[in-house]
Every structure is written in structure tokens, then in C-alpha cells.
Amino acid sequence: MPKRAPKAPVRPPCQLSLFPETAALVRVDPAANCWRFYHLSLQPDLFGGTALVRQWGRIGTAGRQVCELHHDAGQARDALARQLRAKRRRGYRDRPAG
């Protein structure tokens, strides 16, 4: 009896992300001596959830960093979108490329 060829492993389909997973914002106002940055990113954690990593501070410094854990990627994306809206209301703009 001939041997069967081994089956190729089945990989889950790759889904394109319609929502941002990272964002880099700046707020520059020389008249008020305000030179600030804000960086947001989504990263998987070791337990199957997703972490929203927020880093902020004065441009040229390491700043501060906070990691918020979420049970799934959808909750983390919602939190990222809320943070983006709040920061844009406060005067932050997307960091120019380059």
C-alpha cells in the first residue's frame, strides 16, 4: 500500500488591519515653551491578550511609559482610538515623517 503524502500545516488567514496599531504625535508651541511627544503602540502579551503601550514626555527625553493590558485586540484598539481622540483635542498632531 502506498504511503500518503503528509498534509501541509493549515495557517490561519492573514487579516489586514484597518485600524492603526501605532501612532506618533507631537505638540509644539514655542510661545508656550511646549515641546511634547506622545507615542502609542499595540503589542501582544504572553497570555494571549494585547497591551497598549503609551509613552510620552518632552521631546529629547526618554519620557514616561505605561503599559495597559487588555483581554483582546479589539478592546486595545478601542483604547488606542480613545487616547488618539483625546490627544488630538489637546493639540497634538501626527508626527511628520522623516
Side-chain angles (χ1 to χ4, degrees):
M1 180 175 255
K3 292 185 177 180
R4 290 184 180 174
K7 291 185 177 180
V10 177
R11 290 190 291 177
C14 179
Q15 182 173 351
L16 297 175
S17 178
L18 298 176
F19 303 101
E21 294 189 356
T22 62
L25 305 169
V26 293
R27 181 176 165 203
V28 177
D29 184 6
N33 194 24
C34 181
W35 307 83
R36 314 282 295 159
F37 74 92
Y38 206 91
H39 183 76
L40 299 157
S41 66
L42 296 179
Q43 299 177 0
D45 69 2
L46 295 175
F47 304 106
T50 303
L52 171 61
V53 179
R54 300 184 299 143
Q55 185 178 8
W56 69 93
R58 191 167 174 90
I59 293 175
T61 66
R64 294 180 178 207
Q65 184 172 336
V66 170
C67 182
E68 297 176 7
L69 300 176
H70 297 276
H71 292 289
D72 63 11
Q75 289 177 345
R77 283 190 185 103
D78 290 344
L80 186 141
R82 277 194 306 274
Q83 288 290 327
L84 277 177
R85 279 193 304 272
K87 292 303 168 188
R88 286 184 175 140
R89 276 195 307 262
R90 295 200 58 162
Y92 283 83
R93 300 292 170 238
D94 291 329
R95 185 177 76 190

